[in-house]
Amino acid sequence: MSHSVNAKSITRNVAWSVLSKTGTFGLKFVTVPILARLLTPDQFGAVAVALTVVQFLAMIGGAGFGAALVIQEDEDKDTIHSVFWANLLTACVMAGLLFLFARPVSALFGAEEAAPLVQIMALLIPLQLTGDVAYALLARRMQFSQDAVWSMISETAGALIAVGMALYGYGVAALVAQLFSSALIRLCGLYAVSGYVPAFRFKLKRILALGRFSLGMMGSEIANFVTFQSPMVVISRYLGLTDAGAYSAANRFSSIPNQVVLSAVMGVLFPAFSAMTHDGERRSQALMLSTRITTVLLAPMMFGMWALAEPAMLVLFGPQWAWAWPVLGLLAFSKAILTPCSTFIPYLKGVGHGDTLFWWAVIRAVFTTAAVAGTALYGTLTDVMIALCVVNAVVLFGYSFVVFRADGTPFLKGFVLSTRPMASAFLMAFAVRFGLDRLHDLLPNPVLQLVLGAVAGGAIYGVLVILTERDLLHKLKDMVQRRRQARLSPHAA
């Protein structure tokens, strides 16, 4: 790594990343419901199918070379340029093949009518892959503040363009324009702030040298992709585009808290854990602290969304989506179950347990796909969401065992500490949902239900955290005080 990693640098970069994702959260919190009111479930479903194919090919095309660049000791120019040209060539080939075979690929998803969208969105693959090198350079330098700025700019521009086009009746083209404009603006921004200028230098041996790590990362990323995207594929094929659109809209909205916290934290923790590979005690402390903090932040958001799903769907998405509130609620519940696992992937990547990450990702992908496919064949969309909750509960135990064993932390101790905030969040959400059910006749207005539920949930969870997480709160307080003292000590001297 080219830059030293310490608690101060990690905290600063996490703060910038969280700021960026919070801005994105605010935009999506507004734009997703607006677009859902202006577009139909079928239109959401068609774009979701096309985007699933594009993201899968873009991930394969990158082959993990960007992640491999992050952990290199030095910024070797030959290696960097070689990765750029390898990514660009692969991206162009994949985009061309997807354009030619868009119809049979769409038919495989049970959505042949989405073929024209697949052809257009194939061009997203080069836009995504050509930015990998610039982002990898910023990540290895721990310059996440610059990436954060351009992420906010690109997401803001894309959201405004999408809403504007939807209001003027452009329909599904609004969603496509959002994806392209955001990708293009962020690509230009990454190159501007990283200072990277491609040079025509390609050395195959440098690519091959990265192969072992990158292929391992690609394998685990593919397995994780299957885990997260197989529900969309199965729902589209067996339940139709309307259900696929409902799942896509609910998934986009319920993923917003994850994108705020996890995307920010994971991007910083990967290079941070990598720098702590040979310091076991410091690494274990960082793992447990980051896991507990992310769980304290994420669990109440996700369980709270489950508790308020019914009024939230009606208020935010409109009457045409009201029938899908169980989908939103159960999706949020399934994601809430996994909040203690939020730091596990960057940990295993950063400390060199690529094989463990790969095999566990494969096992998870197989069980998730099998459970979703089995319930979709014989049940409804709600049944599929329940199956996801069951699978994720099993994954929580398995993932925790794998990671704590790799770290040398006693399983029971690590599991209790990491899941305790989740238990508090569930108790809070259950109390809110129980209370709203009892007060439904006295409080029929869904807006008031949302406001009352959010206020009551925040108060209940705050009390529970103070009662159960005192040691964590003391640690955070001490960290803040030490930072203040370190900042003031030079002036005092």
Coordinates of all heavy atoms in Angstrom, one line a residue, residues 58-123:
A58 N -20.1 -7.5 -16.7 CA -19.1 -6.5 -16.3 C -18.3 -7.1 -15.2 O -17.0 -6.8 -15.1 CB -19.8 -5.2 -15.8
M59 N -18.9 -7.8 -14.3 CA -18.1 -8.4 -13.2 C -17.1 -9.4 -13.7 O -16.0 -9.5 -13.3 CB -19.1 -9.0 -12.2 CG -18.4 -9.6 -10.9 SD -19.6 -10.4 -9.9 CE -20.3 -11.5 -11.0
I60 N -17.6 -10.3 -14.6 CA -16.7 -11.3 -15.2 C -15.6 -10.6 -16.0 O -14.4 -11.0 -15.9 CB -17.5 -12.3 -16.1 CG1 -18.5 -13.1 -15.2 CG2 -16.5 -13.2 -16.8 CD1 -19.3 -14.0 -16.1
G61 N -15.9 -9.6 -16.7 CA -14.9 -8.9 -17.5 C -13.8 -8.3 -16.7 O -12.7 -8.3 -17.2
G62 N -14.2 -7.8 -15.5 CA -13.1 -7.2 -14.7 C -12.2 -8.2 -14.1 O -11.0 -7.9 -13.8
A63 N -12.6 -9.5 -14.0 CA -11.8 -10.6 -13.5 C -11.1 -10.3 -12.2 O -10.1 -11.0 -11.9 CB -10.8 -11.0 -14.6
G64 N -11.6 -9.3 -11.5 CA -10.9 -9.1 -10.2 C -9.6 -8.3 -10.3 O -8.9 -8.2 -9.3
F65 N -9.2 -7.8 -11.5 CA -7.9 -7.2 -11.6 C -7.9 -5.9 -10.8 O -6.8 -5.5 -10.4 CB -7.6 -6.9 -13.1 CG -7.3 -8.2 -13.9 CD1 -8.0 -8.4 -15.1 CD2 -6.4 -9.1 -13.4 CE1 -7.7 -9.6 -15.8 CE2 -6.2 -10.3 -14.1 CZ -6.8 -10.5 -15.3
G66 N -9.0 -5.1 -10.7 CA -9.0 -3.9 -10.0 C -8.7 -4.1 -8.5 O -7.9 -3.4 -7.9
A67 N -9.3 -5.2 -7.9 CA -9.0 -5.5 -6.5 C -7.6 -5.9 -6.4 O -6.9 -5.6 -5.3 CB -10.0 -6.7 -6.1
A68 N -7.0 -6.6 -7.4 CA -5.6 -7.1 -7.3 C -4.7 -5.9 -7.3 O -3.7 -5.9 -6.6 CB -5.3 -8.0 -8.5
L69 N -5.1 -4.8 -8.0 CA -4.2 -3.6 -8.0 C -4.2 -2.9 -6.7 O -3.2 -2.3 -6.3 CB -4.8 -2.6 -9.1 CG -4.5 -2.9 -10.5 CD1 -5.1 -1.8 -11.4 CD2 -3.0 -3.0 -10.8
V70 N -5.3 -3.0 -5.9 CA -5.4 -2.3 -4.6 C -4.3 -2.9 -3.7 O -3.7 -2.1 -2.9 CB -6.8 -2.5 -4.0 CG1 -6.8 -2.0 -2.6 CG2 -7.8 -1.8 -4.9
I71 N -4.1 -4.2 -3.7 CA -3.2 -4.8 -2.7 C -1.7 -4.9 -3.1 O -0.9 -5.4 -2.4 CB -3.7 -6.2 -2.2 CG1 -3.6 -7.1 -3.4 CG2 -5.1 -6.1 -1.7 CD1 -3.8 -8.6 -3.0
Q72 N -1.4 -4.4 -4.3 CA 0.0 -4.4 -4.8 C 0.9 -3.4 -4.0 O 0.4 -2.4 -3.5 CB 0.1 -4.0 -6.3 CG -0.7 -4.9 -7.2 CD -0.1 -6.3 -7.2 OE1 1.1 -6.5 -7.5 NE2 -0.9 -7.2 -6.8
E73 N 2.1 -3.8 -3.8 CA 3.0 -3.0 -2.9 C 3.3 -1.7 -3.6 O 3.3 -0.6 -2.9 CB 4.3 -3.8 -2.7 CG 4.2 -5.0 -1.8 CD 3.9 -4.6 -0.4 OE1 4.3 -3.5 0.0 OE2 3.3 -5.4 0.3
D74 N 3.5 -1.6 -4.9 CA 3.8 -0.4 -5.6 C 2.9 -0.2 -6.8 O 2.2 -1.1 -7.3 CB 5.3 -0.5 -6.1 CG 6.3 -0.7 -5.0 OD1 6.3 0.1 -4.0 OD2 7.1 -1.7 -5.1
E75 N 2.8 1.1 -7.2 CA 2.0 1.4 -8.4 C 2.9 1.2 -9.6 O 3.4 2.2 -10.2 CB 1.5 2.8 -8.3 CG 0.4 3.0 -7.2 CD -0.2 4.4 -7.3 OE1 0.0 5.2 -8.3 OE2 -1.0 4.8 -6.3
D76 N 3.0 0.0 -10.1 CA 3.8 -0.3 -11.2 C 3.0 0.1 -12.5 O 1.9 -0.4 -12.8 CB 4.1 -1.8 -11.3 CG 4.9 -2.2 -12.5 OD1 6.1 -1.9 -12.5 OD2 4.3 -2.8 -13.4
K77 N 3.6 1.0 -13.3 CA 2.9 1.6 -14.4 C 2.6 0.5 -15.5 O 1.5 0.5 -16.1 CB 3.7 2.7 -15.1 CG 3.9 3.9 -14.2 CD 2.6 4.5 -13.9 CE 2.7 5.8 -13.1 NZ 1.4 6.4 -12.7
D78 N 3.5 -0.4 -15.7 CA 3.2 -1.5 -16.7 C 2.0 -2.3 -16.3 O 1.2 -2.7 -17.1 CB 4.5 -2.4 -16.9 CG 5.6 -1.7 -17.6 OD1 5.3 -0.7 -18.3 OD2 6.7 -2.1 -17.5
T79 N 1.9 -2.7 -15.0 CA 0.8 -3.5 -14.6 C -0.5 -2.7 -14.7 O -1.5 -3.2 -15.1 CB 1.0 -3.9 -13.1 OG1 2.3 -4.6 -13.0 CG2 -0.1 -4.8 -12.6
I80 N -0.5 -1.4 -14.3 CA -1.7 -0.6 -14.3 C -2.2 -0.5 -15.8 O -3.4 -0.7 -16.0 CB -1.4 0.8 -13.7 CG1 -1.1 0.6 -12.2 CG2 -2.6 1.7 -13.9 CD1 -0.6 1.9 -11.6
H81 N -1.3 -0.1 -16.7 CA -1.7 0.0 -18.1 C -2.2 -1.3 -18.7 O -3.2 -1.4 -19.5 CB -0.6 0.6 -18.9 CG -0.2 2.0 -18.5 ND1 -1.1 3.0 -18.3 CD2 1.0 2.5 -18.4 CE1 -0.5 4.1 -18.0 NE2 0.8 3.9 -18.0
S82 N -1.6 -2.4 -18.3 CA -1.9 -3.7 -18.8 C -3.4 -4.1 -18.4 O -4.2 -4.6 -19.1 CB -0.9 -4.8 -18.3 OG 0.4 -4.5 -18.8
V83 N -3.7 -3.8 -17.1 CA -5.0 -4.0 -16.6 C -6.0 -3.2 -17.3 O -7.1 -3.7 -17.7 CB -5.1 -3.8 -15.1 CG1 -6.5 -3.8 -14.6 CG2 -4.3 -4.8 -14.3
F84 N -5.7 -1.9 -17.6 CA -6.7 -1.1 -18.3 C -7.0 -1.7 -19.7 O -8.2 -1.8 -20.0 CB -6.1 0.3 -18.5 CG -6.9 1.2 -19.4 CD1 -8.0 1.9 -18.9 CD2 -6.6 1.3 -20.8 CE1 -8.8 2.7 -19.7 CE2 -7.4 2.1 -21.6 CZ -8.5 2.8 -21.1
W85 N -6.0 -2.0 -20.5 CA -6.3 -2.5 -21.8 C -6.9 -3.9 -21.8 O -7.8 -4.2 -22.6 CB -5.0 -2.6 -22.6 CG -4.4 -1.2 -22.9 CD1 -3.3 -0.6 -22.4 CD2 -5.0 -0.3 -23.8 NE1 -3.2 0.6 -22.9 CE2 -4.2 0.9 -23.7 CE3 -6.2 -0.2 -24.6 CZ2 -4.5 2.0 -24.5 CZ3 -6.5 0.9 -25.3 CH2 -5.7 2.0 -25.2
A86 N -6.6 -4.7 -20.8 CA -7.3 -6.0 -20.7 C -8.7 -5.8 -20.4 O -9.6 -6.5 -20.9 CB -6.6 -6.9 -19.6
N87 N -9.0 -4.9 -19.5 CA -10.4 -4.6 -19.1 C -11.2 -4.1 -20.3 O -12.3 -4.5 -20.6 CB -10.5 -3.6 -18.0 CG -10.3 -4.3 -16.6 OD1 -10.2 -5.5 -16.5 ND2 -10.3 -3.5 -15.6
L88 N -10.6 -3.1 -21.1 CA -11.2 -2.5 -22.2 C -11.5 -3.5 -23.3 O -12.6 -3.6 -23.9 CB -10.4 -1.4 -22.7 CG -11.0 -0.6 -23.9 CD1 -12.3 0.0 -23.6 CD2 -10.0 0.4 -24.4
L89 N -10.5 -4.4 -23.6 CA -10.7 -5.4 -24.6 C -11.8 -6.3 -24.3 O -12.7 -6.7 -25.1 CB -9.4 -6.1 -24.9 CG -9.5 -7.3 -25.9 CD1 -9.9 -6.8 -27.3 CD2 -8.2 -8.0 -26.0
T90 N -11.8 -6.8 -23.0 CA -12.8 -7.8 -22.6 C -14.2 -7.1 -22.6 O -15.2 -7.8 -23.0 CB -12.5 -8.3 -21.1 OG1 -11.2 -8.8 -21.1 CG2 -13.5 -9.3 -20.7
A91 N -14.3 -5.9 -22.2 CA -15.6 -5.2 -22.1 C -16.2 -5.0 -23.5 O -17.4 -5.2 -23.7 CB -15.4 -3.8 -21.5
C92 N -15.4 -4.7 -24.5 CA -15.9 -4.5 -25.8 C -16.3 -5.8 -26.4 O -17.4 -5.9 -27.1 CB -14.8 -3.9 -26.7 SG -14.4 -2.2 -26.3
V93 N -15.6 -6.9 -26.2 CA -16.0 -8.2 -26.7 C -17.3 -8.6 -26.0 O -18.3 -9.1 -26.7 CB -14.9 -9.3 -26.4 CG1 -15.4 -10.7 -26.7 CG2 -13.7 -9.0 -27.2
M94 N -17.4 -8.5 -24.7 CA -18.7 -8.9 -24.1 C -19.9 -8.0 -24.5 O -21.0 -8.5 -24.7 CB -18.5 -8.8 -22.6 CG -17.6 -9.9 -22.0 SD -17.6 -9.9 -20.2 CE -16.9 -11.5 -19.9
A95 N -19.6 -6.7 -24.7 CA -20.7 -5.8 -25.1 C -21.2 -6.3 -26.5 O -22.4 -6.3 -26.8 CB -20.3 -4.4 -25.1
G96 N -20.3 -6.6 -27.4 CA -20.6 -7.0 -28.7 C -21.4 -8.3 -28.7 O -22.4 -8.5 -29.4
L97 N -21.0 -9.3 -27.9 CA -21.7 -10.6 -27.9 C -23.1 -10.4 -27.3 O -24.0 -11.0 -27.7 CB -20.8 -11.6 -27.0 CG -19.5 -12.0 -27.7 CD1 -18.8 -12.9 -26.7 CD2 -19.8 -12.8 -29.0
L98 N -23.2 -9.6 -26.2 CA -24.5 -9.4 -25.6 C -25.4 -8.7 -26.6 O -26.6 -9.0 -26.6 CB -24.3 -8.5 -24.4 CG -25.6 -8.3 -23.6 CD1 -26.3 -9.6 -23.2 CD2 -25.3 -7.4 -22.3
F99 N -24.9 -7.8 -27.4 CA -25.8 -7.1 -28.4 C -26.3 -8.1 -29.4 O -27.5 -8.1 -29.8 CB -25.0 -6.0 -29.1 CG -25.8 -5.2 -30.0 CD1 -26.5 -4.0 -29.6 CD2 -25.9 -5.5 -31.4 CE1 -27.2 -3.3 -30.5 CE2 -26.6 -4.8 -32.3 CZ -27.3 -3.7 -31.8
L100 N -25.4 -9.0 -29.9 CA -25.8 -10.0 -30.9 C -26.8 -11.0 -30.3 O -27.7 -11.4 -31.1 CB -24.6 -10.7 -31.4 CG -23.6 -9.8 -32.3 CD1 -22.4 -10.6 -32.6 CD2 -24.3 -9.3 -33.5
F101 N -26.6 -11.4 -29.1 CA -27.4 -12.5 -28.5 C -28.4 -12.0 -27.5 O -28.8 -12.8 -26.6 CB -26.5 -13.6 -27.9 CG -25.6 -14.2 -28.9 CD1 -24.3 -13.9 -29.1 CD2 -26.1 -15.2 -29.8 CE1 -23.4 -14.5 -30.0 CE2 -25.3 -15.9 -30.7 CZ -24.0 -15.5 -30.8
A102 N -28.8 -10.8 -27.6 CA -29.7 -10.2 -26.6 C -31.0 -10.9 -26.5 O -31.6 -11.1 -25.4 CB -30.0 -8.7 -26.9
R103 N -31.6 -11.4 -27.7 CA -32.9 -12.0 -27.7 C -32.9 -13.4 -27.0 O -33.7 -13.6 -26.1 CB -33.4 -12.1 -29.1 CG -34.9 -12.5 -29.2 CD -35.5 -12.2 -30.5 NE -35.4 -10.8 -30.8 CZ -36.3 -9.9 -30.4 NH1 -37.3 -10.3 -29.6 NH2 -36.2 -8.6 -30.7
P104 N -31.9 -14.3 -27.3 CA -31.9 -15.5 -26.6 C -31.6 -15.4 -25.1 O -32.1 -16.1 -24.3 CB -30.9 -16.4 -27.3 CG -30.1 -15.4 -28.1 CD -31.0 -14.3 -28.5
V105 N -30.7 -14.4 -24.8 CA -30.4 -14.2 -23.4 C -31.6 -13.7 -22.6 O -31.9 -14.2 -21.5 CB -29.3 -13.1 -23.2 CG1 -29.1 -12.7 -21.8 CG2 -28.0 -13.7 -23.7
S106 N -32.4 -12.8 -23.2 CA -33.6 -12.3 -22.6 C -34.7 -13.4 -22.4 O -35.4 -13.5 -21.4 CB -34.2 -11.1 -23.4 OG -33.3 -10.1 -23.5
A107 N -34.7 -14.3 -23.5 CA -35.7 -15.4 -23.4 C -35.3 -16.3 -22.3 O -36.2 -16.9 -21.6 CB -35.7 -16.1 -24.7
L108 N -34.0 -16.5 -22.0 CA -33.6 -17.3 -20.9 C -34.1 -16.8 -19.6 O -34.4 -17.6 -18.7 CB -32.1 -17.4 -20.9 CG -31.4 -18.3 -19.9 CD1 -31.7 -19.8 -20.2 CD2 -29.9 -18.1 -19.8
F109 N -34.3 -15.5 -19.5 CA -34.8 -14.9 -18.3 C -36.4 -14.9 -18.2 O -37.0 -14.4 -17.3 CB -34.3 -13.5 -18.1 CG -32.9 -13.3 -17.6 CD1 -31.9 -13.7 -18.4 CD2 -32.7 -12.9 -16.4 CE1 -30.6 -13.6 -18.0 CE2 -31.4 -12.7 -15.9 CZ -30.3 -13.1 -16.7
G110 N -37.0 -15.4 -19.3 CA -38.4 -15.3 -19.4 C -38.9 -14.0 -19.7 O -40.1 -13.6 -19.4
A111 N -38.1 -13.1 -20.3 CA -38.5 -11.7 -20.6 C -38.0 -11.3 -22.0 O -37.2 -10.4 -22.1 CB -38.0 -10.8 -19.6
E112 N -38.4 -12.0 -23.1 CA -37.9 -11.8 -24.4 C -38.2 -10.3 -24.9 O -37.5 -9.8 -25.7 CB -38.6 -12.7 -25.4 CG -37.9 -12.8 -26.8 CD -38.4 -13.9 -27.6 OE1 -39.1 -14.8 -27.1 OE2 -38.0 -13.9 -28.8
E113 N -39.3 -9.7 -24.3 CA -39.6 -8.3 -24.7 C -38.6 -7.3 -24.2 O -38.5 -6.2 -24.6 CB -41.0 -7.9 -24.1 CG -41.1 -8.1 -22.6 CD -41.7 -9.4 -22.2 OE1 -41.2 -10.4 -22.7 OE2 -42.5 -9.5 -21.3
A114 N -37.7 -7.8 -23.3 CA -36.6 -6.9 -22.8 C -35.4 -6.9 -23.7 O -34.4 -6.2 -23.4 CB -36.2 -7.3 -21.4
A115 N -35.4 -7.6 -24.8 CA -34.2 -7.7 -25.6 C -33.7 -6.4 -26.1 O -32.5 -6.1 -26.1 CB -34.5 -8.7 -26.8
P116 N -34.6 -5.5 -26.6 CA -34.0 -4.2 -27.1 C -33.3 -3.4 -26.0 O -32.3 -2.7 -26.2 CB -35.3 -3.4 -27.5 CG -36.3 -4.5 -27.9 CD -36.0 -5.6 -26.9
L117 N -33.8 -3.5 -24.7 CA -33.2 -2.8 -23.6 C -31.8 -3.5 -23.3 O -30.8 -2.8 -23.0 CB -34.0 -3.0 -22.4 CG -35.1 -1.9 -22.2 CD1 -35.9 -2.2 -20.9 CD2 -34.5 -0.5 -22.1
V118 N -31.7 -4.8 -23.4 CA -30.5 -5.5 -23.2 C -29.4 -5.0 -24.2 O -28.2 -4.8 -23.9 CB -30.7 -7.0 -23.3 CG1 -29.3 -7.7 -23.3 CG2 -31.5 -7.5 -22.2
Q119 N -29.8 -4.8 -25.5 CA -28.9 -4.4 -26.5 C -28.4 -3.0 -26.2 O -27.2 -2.7 -26.3 CB -29.6 -4.4 -27.9 CG -29.8 -5.8 -28.4 CD -30.5 -5.7 -29.8 OE1 -31.5 -5.0 -30.0 NE2 -30.0 -6.6 -30.7
I120 N -29.3 -2.1 -25.8 CA -28.8 -0.7 -25.5 C -27.9 -0.7 -24.3 O -26.8 -0.1 -24.3 CB -30.1 0.2 -25.2 CG1 -30.9 0.3 -26.5 CG2 -29.6 1.5 -24.7 CD1 -32.2 1.0 -26.3
M121 N -28.3 -1.4 -23.2 CA -27.6 -1.4 -22.0 C -26.3 -2.2 -22.0 O -25.4 -2.1 -21.1 CB -28.4 -1.9 -20.8 CG -29.6 -0.9 -20.5 SD -30.8 -1.5 -19.3 CE -29.8 -1.6 -17.9
A122 N -26.0 -2.9 -23.1 CA -24.8 -3.6 -23.3 C -23.6 -2.6 -23.3 O -22.5 -2.9 -22.9 CB -24.8 -4.4 -24.6
L123 N -23.9 -1.4 -23.7 CA -22.9 -0.4 -23.8 C -22.4 0.1 -22.4 O -21.4 0.8 -22.3 CB -23.4 0.8 -24.6 CG -23.7 0.6 -26.1 CD1 -24.3 1.8 -26.7 CD2 -22.4 0.2 -26.8

